[in-house]
Amino acid sequence: MAGIGIVVTLLGFVITLMSLGMTDSVNARMIMSLVGIAVSFFGIMGLIIPAYNKNAIWRK
Amino acid sequence: MKRLTLLTTTVLLLASLASAQAPPAAAPPATPAATPAAAPPAATPLTDADLKGIEAPKAEDRAKGDPAGTITGTVADVPVADPITDKTPKAKGLTLGDLANLGGQNKIAINFVWTLITGFLVMFMQAGFAIVETGLCRAKNANHTMMMNFMVYGVGMLAYWLIGFTIQMGGLGGNGNLGGLVPLSSEYSIQLFGKSFGLFGQNGIFLMHNGTYDVGVMVMFLFQMVFMDTALTIVTGSAAERWKYVAFLVSSFMLGAFIYPLFGNWAWGNGWLANLGGNFGLGKGYCDFAGSGVVHAVGGLSALALAIIVGPRIGKYTRDGKSNALIGHDIVIVLTGCFILAFGWFGFNPGSTLGASTNGNLRISSVAVNTMLAGMAGSFGAMLYMWMRYGKPDASMTGNGLLAGLVAITAPSGFVNPVGSVIIGLIAGVLVCVSVEFVDRVLKVDDPVGAISVHGANGLWGVISVGLFADGKSNYGGSWNAVSGSVTGLFYGDASQLVAQLIGVSTLVGLVFTMVFVVNLAIEAIVGQRVGAKAELEGLDVPEMGQLGYPEFELKSSGVRA
């Protein structure tokens, strides 16, 4: 699960990077950047952290 | 009633700031002058001959001393290339060329001294970080926490001298404030989307390689080194009280040698983020005046990665996930440390002009005032938030609010006006409180000092705020990141600058975080990141460092428990 989270986090950056090559529109780039940031945050907060908390010391 | 009064005060303060921030009504067109001013008489060009009549103070006058300071620092102090002496009566003597050289060297000297002294101030911030973090930890870990903050300076410097500086600044491509920095001119780039993407520099290994044994390069190294060390010392806070000392050393080395310098290159060293303006028409490219992103967000996101990997301290959460407060042992040194950091920030932000003379660098006064205003607003924001929410003005969170305001203003400090600074700082002060609660209670990530929120959340906010509040009034030699004009944010008419900033944020969250996380997973696999439970319960001072921080103190049972 944490591994998938790392990939998703990186994927968010790739989405943002692709905005530079896919369009010249400022608005489109802004939307893609925001989507990229949201995807990265989901990777960290929605996947990596829950994966670590599943085996956290306070659960034992 | 008390809360109502506080709420009213806050609303009024925000309303007055919002009205002050509103753009002024369009000014009427300037009325042309009724009669044109008389043309000034044509100036006669100055020649070397005009300099011959300038007399130096007489030796007998100098011998009497100069209590008024009127004959110290005169033409006698101008270095002359071809001085007239008894043996060379036909020498040129003082020429305009001598004066021009003196002017050039004085400009560079002023900039050297400014940048070095502000760098010394930033170095002193290490002391502030050390006592803030130590004060927020329990007494049983004082030696360990202090030692991490102490040695991060040396480990980081070694890593940065060996390779980090080369990666970050080796392809800078020149800086007029510091005499050119011509040797720092080799950037490794790839072609992507038909444009050149600078990835890392290649000159500067050991500060000897390819002409980098250079006075200007030395100034740049010192200044950038202390910035890098600031990022490294942020991480020690979030992983405090359970981080294995060996793992800390290796992790800090990797961050200082490779990860921080890579992002530093992209933002400050002529890398691809800096060139988003020139290559893709996005404002002036990614703009981060003094490092909300480069220093603080990198440090804060690294702190998040480490806090996730090492896990919460024993006793931080109950079995049902409820958070316990593990109170720090000395609020006095925490707030003292915050003051030291605020003092050091006058080096951090104004020093980032890399000069005080020419190229619009007199704006250092504006940068300094923006810095102090945002810090003030941050402390107010946090204090009022905590007061309204919990009924008391929490001291440690007020200190964190000050730091949050300073972190947030670090990127925009060179591009915004005082009202913008106060708004940025105020938002930062509230944001740090909300973020600390979110990280602690929702994410259940244990961060003993609030580093993730102070530096991570507010570092990102600072980067974004450039794209919103930059007012287009700064002018550092007429361009920024080689794009002519002043940095201008969304509220002043340029949405594309905000896009450049968002791309920077995405790079930090998506790529830098991932790099830090993966590198530290490798360290976890090789040496392990966390100390054993016995050592953690005992306190890390003796198991890890062999000595108590406070050997003559009797630690109360509540202080040494989990």
Side-chain angles (χ1 to χ4, degrees):
Chain A
M1 192 70 167
I4 296 171
I6 293 170
V7 174
V8 171
T9 304
L10 194 59
L11 178 68
F13 165 69
V14 174
I15 292 170
T16 300
L17 190 66
M18 292 307 291
S19 75
L20 294 173
M22 287 172 61
T23 176
D24 288 333
S25 160
V26 168
N27 289 338
R29 283 175 171 168
M30 190 178 297
I31 290 166
M32 286 185 74
S33 301
L34 289 170
V35 169
I37 292 167
V39 169
S40 290
F41 272 125
F42 173 72
I44 297 170
M45 296 177 192
L47 296 172
I48 296 175
I49 293 175
Y52 272 80
N53 279 348
K54 202 174 280 182
N55 300 312
I57 199 161
W58 50 271
R59 286 193 188 273
K60 293 170 187 170
Chain B
M1 187 63 192
K2 208 189 295 178
R3 291 186 186 188
L4 186 64
T5 313
L6 281 166
L7 186 63
T8 313
T9 312
T10 312
V11 169
L12 285 173
L13 183 62
L14 281 170
S16 63
L17 284 172
S19 63
Q21 182 68 9
T31 312
T35 52
T44 310
L46 201 62
T47 66
D48 287 348
D50 295 315
L51 305 178
K52 301 299 179 199
I54 303 175
E55 287 186 14
K58 294 189 174 92
E60 55 264 35
D61 291 336
R62 297 298 300 269
K64 293 174 189 167
D66 182 22
T70 52
I71 56 171
T72 301
T74 65
V75 67
D77 298 295
V78 177
V80 176
D82 189 13
I84 300 170
T85 65
D86 292 342
K87 292 178 182 173
T88 58
K90 290 185 179 175
K92 286 182 185 169
L94 180 65
T95 65
L96 288 174
D98 295 326
L99 292 182
N101 280 329
L102 180 67
Q105 182 149 82
N106 278 356
K107 171 198 157 184
I108 299 302
I110 289 166
N111 292 345
F112 270 29
V113 170
W114 172 254
T115 308
L116 286 171
I117 289 177
T118 52
F120 302 155
L121 286 177
V122 178
M123 183 270 174
F124 189 55
M125 288 171 73
Q126 296 288 323
F129 277 116
I131 60 174
V132 166
E133 289 180 14
T134 305
L136 286 170
C137 291
R138 290 164 292 180
K140 63 180 180 176
N141 298 304
N143 183 357
H144 183 260
T145 310
M146 202 71 191
M147 188 59 178
M148 284 199 297
N149 277 276
F150 184 78
M151 271 316 291
V152 79
Y153 182 67
V155 172
M157 196 189 314
L158 176 65
Y160 200 66
W161 174 67
L162 289 175
I163 186 67
F165 180 72
T166 301
I167 292 173
Q168 183 179 338
M169 304 306 280
L172 179 65
N175 180 290
N177 284 340
L178 299 177
L181 301 185
V182 178
L184 300 175
S185 58
S186 180
E187 177 81 358
Y188 178 81
S189 303
I190 58 170
Q191 290 291 314
L192 196 59
F193 310 128
K195 307 286 183 186
S196 175
F197 267 56
L199 293 183
F200 55 86
Q202 302 179 110
N203 276 358
I205 294 174
F206 302 154
L207 294 176
M208 296 293 286
H209 172 236
N210 271 358
T212 49
Y213 182 16
D214 171 270
V215 289
V217 173
M218 298 299 156
V219 176
M220 183 60 98
F221 174 81
L222 186 143
F223 195 71
Q224 295 298 337
M225 199 295 294
V226 289
F227 271 58
M228 176 279 305
D229 246 345
T230 303
L232 264 58
T233 201
I234 291 166
V235 187
T236 58
S238 75
E241 301 199 303
R242 75 274 200 208
W243 202 5
K244 200 183 270 186
Y245 191 75
V246 174
F248 144 75
L249 289 174
V250 180
S251 177
S252 299
F253 185 91
M254 297 303 287
L255 187 57
F258 301 107
I259 300 170
Y260 173 94
L262 273 176
F263 189 77
N265 176 272
W266 303 337
W268 287 345
N270 196 26
W272 66 275
L273 279 173
N275 287 306
L276 287 176
N279 284 343
F280 296 97
L282 295 174
K284 308 295 178 286
Y286 172 79
C287 294
D288 190 348
F289 190 77
S292 291
V294 175
V295 178
H296 296 283
V298 168
L301 290 166
S302 302
L304 174 62
L306 255 303
I308 294 170
I309 291 171
V310 297
R313 292 166 290 176
I314 296 171
K316 174 62 188 169
Y317 294 102
T318 58
R319 270 180 200 278
D320 57 359
K322 190 169 167 286
S323 172
N324 291 322
L326 302 179
I327 307 295
H329 79 283
D330 195 340
I331 195 65
V332 175
I333 65 168
V334 170
L335 292 185
T336 307
C338 288
F339 261 133
I340 289 175
L341 286 168
F343 175 68
W345 238 285
F346 287 125
F348 215 94
N349 291 358
S352 290
T353 53
L354 299 176
S357 174
T358 72
N359 285 343
N361 286 330
L362 291 184
R363 205 173 152 89
I364 51 178
S365 58
S366 173
V367 179
V369 170
N370 286 343
T371 302
M372 64 200 302
L373 285 175
M376 170 276 294
S379 58
F380 266 105
M383 183 188 75
L384 291 172
Y385 177 89
M386 296 302 286
W387 209 337
M388 284 191 283
R389 186 152 162 74
Y390 297 104
K392 296 286 180 190
D394 183 277
S396 66
M397 283 310 298
T398 303
N400 271 342
L402 172 82
L403 301 183
L406 293 167
V407 166
I409 199 61
T410 299
S413 59
F415 310 120
V416 300
N417 58 43
V419 175
S421 302
V422 172
I423 294 173
I424 291 166
L426 200 56
I427 291 171
V430 176
L431 176 62
V432 71
C433 300
V434 175
S435 176
V436 162
E437 290 174 342
F438 179 75
V439 169
D440 187 53
R441 294 174 191 171
V442 179
L443 296 182
K444 301 195 190 309
V445 171
D446 183 15
D447 178 6
V449 307
I452 297 164
S453 302
V454 170
H455 301 278
N458 282 288
L460 297 178
W461 161 234
V463 170
I464 293 169
S465 70
V466 175
L468 299 174
F469 291 94
D471 66 0
K473 295 284 196 284
S474 60
N475 184 341
Y476 299 97
S479 65
W480 193 264
N481 285 334
V483 181
S484 62
S486 302
V487 180
T488 307
L490 178 69
F491 296 159
Y492 294 86
D494 186 1
S496 70
Q497 185 62 56
L498 180 58
V499 177
Q501 302 306 111
L502 291 174
I503 292 173
V505 168
S506 184
T507 308
L508 285 159
V509 180
L511 186 55
V512 172
F513 174 86
T514 303
M515 287 193 292
V516 176
F517 199 84
V518 170
V519 165
N520 280 286
L521 280 182
I523 296 169
E524 161 83 349
I526 296 166
V527 295
Q529 293 273 11
R530 184 167 179 144
V531 298
K534 185 171 176 290
E536 187 179 337
L537 289 169
E538 184 184 340
L540 303 189
D541 281 3
V542 174
E544 285 282 296
M545 313 313 303
Q547 186 183 15
L548 281 171
Y550 303 108
E552 294 174 355
F553 279 23
E554 186 187 344
L555 301 178
K556 289 188 286 187
S557 59
S558 61
V560 295
R561 74 177 170 81

